[in-house]
Amino acid sequence: MRVSINSILTQKNQTVTIAGYVHSIRNQGKIAFLRVRDVTGSVQVVTGVWNKEVFESIKDLSVESVVQVEGLVKESKQVPEGVEIDAAKITIQSTALPLPIPVVTEKGAEEVDVTKRFDYRWLDLRKKESQKIFQVWTVLEQGIREYFSENSFTQLYSPALMSAPSESGAEVFEVKYFEGKAYLAQSPQFYKQMAIASGFEKVFMVGPVFRAELSFTTRHMTEFTGWDFEIAHITSHHDVMDTEEAMLKSGFAKLKSKGLIDEEISVPFARISLADAKAKLKRAGITSEKVGDLSPDEERGICKIVKEESGSEFVFITDYPKDHRAFYHMRDEETGLTKGFDLLYKGVEITTGAQREHRIEKLLAQATEKGLTEEGLSDYLSFFRYGVPPHGGVGIGPARIVAQILGLPSVKEATFLPRDVKRLRP
Ligand code: ATP
């Protein structure tokens, strides 16, 4: 029976079977050393002329081929693990051709062009550093799901196919749908609100989101995974922010408990109005032409300022003007500003959230003001006519969070198979 490589370290003088990739080969004529790697680690495998059949069988072996090795675990002072396997049998299960990109990155080796790396993404991901990215995502999501489950959230899945674009037509992919057309959802926004109208008081969703944006940034893809939650009976958008803080705290605590980050995060995060953020930025000499929103430069700037002031890597920006937010964001009666917010983490927006407008007359007026028609929104508006509690929620981009946790240069590095304007494969 195959055992994991990390488990054999304590199995001195036992015969074991391991399997994995050939990480490296050193053949010295009479003796050969292979390093075999599985997901748990790697170990040295030795064979030589004293075992002719095995030695011959690896003559043409190439790196990254898959082998199964049966042999005796022996003490070895020469290797970091302190043990190696003296091979009694090596079975080549799959042979690798010469590699188009390196899997083992040598120190000082030239960086392979990112386009080529993504063309051979499955090889790119064999690297230990790459594997860690998805471990971080998995554990973060595990911690977040624990929060949801301990707090009585229901998970729902919403369709990606829609009969009409959800918010505006510009960023939506149109697909052929039998004799007609369908659109790919730009967010589960309307569906999660419908879930509130269905009587679920707390829901969360994890699913694909599609954006037909001609964006060539390090933060945008045309398809990405979205995390969304929506909660009912709130008194303001601050309840939504409280919930997101608790959710993230649980996710980051899980990362800490598994040794994937050094420090837990502390809540609450600072909550700063857009106007105050602009004033702070101005004082720091960072100005922008962008009215009603923050430019990427300003996002980095305000995060740096908040980090210096409070030590926190997170900051909520609140009180955006209505012209820059979706029609369904509730507005403050006094200021006219929206009850919407963004959450920034290490210089990048990771969330947009809001208290939603649940009163049909106001919602309709706000939609009309933005040039949307009642007809185009008929399914959406309809469920507000049969009783909907006050509610709010967020849309979160996990690839952005993971990229920021690990300091990756792009959200694409935190995505198994990224899709962007120029990439639809592999
Ligand atoms: P941005 O202003 O950065 O373009 P957005 O305001 O369009 O983002 P939302 O529509 O509010 O973003 O989506 C919610 C969250 O989803 C964002 O805060 C972000 O974390 C993530 N997100 C949005 N667009 C993308 C994208 N194209 N690729 C990856 N993640 C995204």
Side-chain angles (χ1 to χ4, degrees):
M1 198 190 64
R2 178 198 173 214
V3 294
S4 65
I5 288 177
N6 68 351
S7 75
I8 68 166
L9 305 180
T10 53
Q11 299 194 20
K12 244 177 266 173
N13 304 321
Q14 311 251 341
T15 296
V16 297
T17 303
I18 58 152
Y21 292 108
V22 178
H23 195 70
S24 62
I25 304 168
R26 214 155 32 94
N27 195 329
Q28 299 179 340
K30 291 205 166 111
I31 181 166
F33 301 96
L34 311 179
R35 185 156 274 281
V36 177
R37 178 187 84 236
D38 72 9
V39 81
T40 66
S42 69
V43 69
Q44 176 159 287
V45 173
V46 192
T47 182
V49 284
W50 64 86
N51 191 340
K52 209 159 168 231
E53 206 179 315
V54 175
F55 193 55
E56 283 294 305
S57 75
I58 58 153
K59 218 173 56 201
D60 299 321
L61 187 62
S62 53
V63 285
E64 293 304 310
S65 291
V66 181
V67 292
Q68 187 177 62
V69 179
E70 212 181 295
L72 192 67
V73 181
K74 284 186 169 169
E75 188 170 328
S76 166
K77 296 237 166 8
Q78 274 83 47
V79 288
E81 297 80 22
V83 293
E84 61 185 15
I85 298 179
D86 183 358
K89 189 175 175 199
I90 298 180
T91 312
I92 301 172
Q93 296 179 318
S94 174
T95 298
L97 291 175
L99 299 174
I101 59 166
V103 167
V104 182
T105 33
E106 313 277 340
K107 266 212 185 94
E110 206 176 309
E111 179 71 23
V112 179
D113 172 55
V114 63
T115 309
K116 194 163 178 196
R117 278 204 293 108
F118 283 143
D119 283 347
Y120 293 96
R121 185 62 165 153
W122 71 95
L123 288 175
D124 187 39
L125 292 177
R126 282 191 200 169
K127 290 186 293 203
K128 208 169 153 207
E129 312 85 80
S130 309
Q131 301 267 323
K132 182 173 175 192
I133 299 170
F134 299 91
Q135 212 183 337
V136 165
W137 186 316
T138 304
V139 172
L140 177 69
E141 185 162 331
Q142 201 187 341
I144 282 171
R145 282 173 182 276
E146 266 172 28
Y147 169 80
F148 285 141
S149 103
E150 280 159 16
N151 288 278
S152 312
F153 277 72
T154 301
Q155 180 171 18
L156 295 177
Y157 294 89
S158 63
L161 288 167
M162 306 176 96
S163 64
S166 50
E167 296 186 29
S168 69
E171 294 177 358
V172 74
F173 287 111
E174 194 178 295
V175 294
K176 192 167 170 300
Y177 197 70
F178 305 107
E179 296 305 311
K181 284 189 236 169
Y183 302 90
L184 297 181
Q186 302 137 290
S187 89
Q189 183 62 38
F190 292 180
Y191 299 124
K192 61 185 174 169
Q193 289 191 260
M194 196 186 284
I196 296 294
S198 306
F200 295 98
E201 293 187 2
K202 296 172 174 182
V203 293
F204 77 97
M205 296 177 174
V206 172
V209 177
F210 303 90
R211 300 277 168 97
E213 288 174 307
L214 271 176
S215 293
F216 297 91
T217 75
T218 56
R219 305 182 309 282
H220 293 97
M221 293 178 285
T222 47
E223 176 179 353
F224 63 95
T225 300
W227 288 345
D228 281 79
F229 73 73
E230 202 72 18
I231 50 175
H233 299 291
I234 59 171
T235 49
S236 83
H237 51 311
H238 287 280
D239 294 343
V240 182
M241 288 186 264
D242 293 347
T243 300
E244 183 168 20
E245 279 168 354
M247 178 203 101
L248 286 171
K249 183 148 179 65
S250 173
F252 277 74
K254 198 56 141 189
L255 286 174
K256 172 80 170 81
S257 75
K258 303 259 170 162
L260 290 163
I261 53 169
D262 296 332
E263 275 179 55
E264 282 198 32
I265 55 172
S266 55
V267 296
F269 309 145
R271 296 176 189 184
I272 304 177
S273 72
L274 182 67
D276 286 348
K278 290 270 181 192
K280 278 178 191 286
L281 285 161
K282 196 170 172 198
R283 283 201 293 279
I286 304 166
T287 50
S288 148
E289 301 300 306
K290 212 166 173 183
V291 183
D293 200 359
L294 297 176
S295 66
D297 234 13
E298 288 178 296
E299 287 181 352
R300 281 188 287 273
I302 194 67
C303 282
K304 191 161 168 268
I305 294 169
V306 171
K307 172 105 206 275
E308 279 159 15
E309 282 178 0
S310 69
S312 175
E313 311 263 23
F314 291 87
V315 55
F316 282 113
I317 307 294
T318 62
D319 301 277
Y320 285 83
K322 61 182 195 240
D323 295 352
H324 295 265
R325 303 304 270 196
F327 75 91
Y328 50 79
H329 285 202
M330 187 181 269
R331 295 172 190 173
D332 187 281
E333 310 262 303
E334 278 168 31
T335 62
L337 296 167
T338 64
K339 295 190 176 193
F341 60 86
D342 279 1
L343 177 59
L344 312 184
Y345 171 50
K346 291 190 178 174
V348 172
E349 176 204 314
I350 55 163
T351 296
T352 295
Q355 174 164 13
R356 325 297 185 186
E357 183 51 71
H358 63 283
R359 297 159 296 186
I360 181 72
E361 308 76 32
K362 288 195 189 279
L363 189 58
L364 192 51
Q366 290 179 190
T368 314
E369 183 193 293
K370 295 238 178 214
L372 300 165
T373 63
E374 190 169 350
E375 204 186 6
L377 289 170
S378 62
D379 279 342
Y380 179 61
L381 294 172
S382 183
F383 62 74
F384 290 92
R385 296 197 165 96
Y386 302 92
V388 180
H391 64 281
V394 298
I396 303 170
R400 290 194 187 178
I401 303 181
V402 173
Q404 292 311 95
I405 290 174
L406 293 169
L408 306 175
S410 161
V411 286
K412 291 170 206 170
E413 301 284 351
T415 302
F416 173 36
L417 295 167
R419 293 289 178 253
D420 64 21
V421 179
K422 295 202 165 159
R423 178 170 294 280
L424 273 174
R425 51 168 295 276

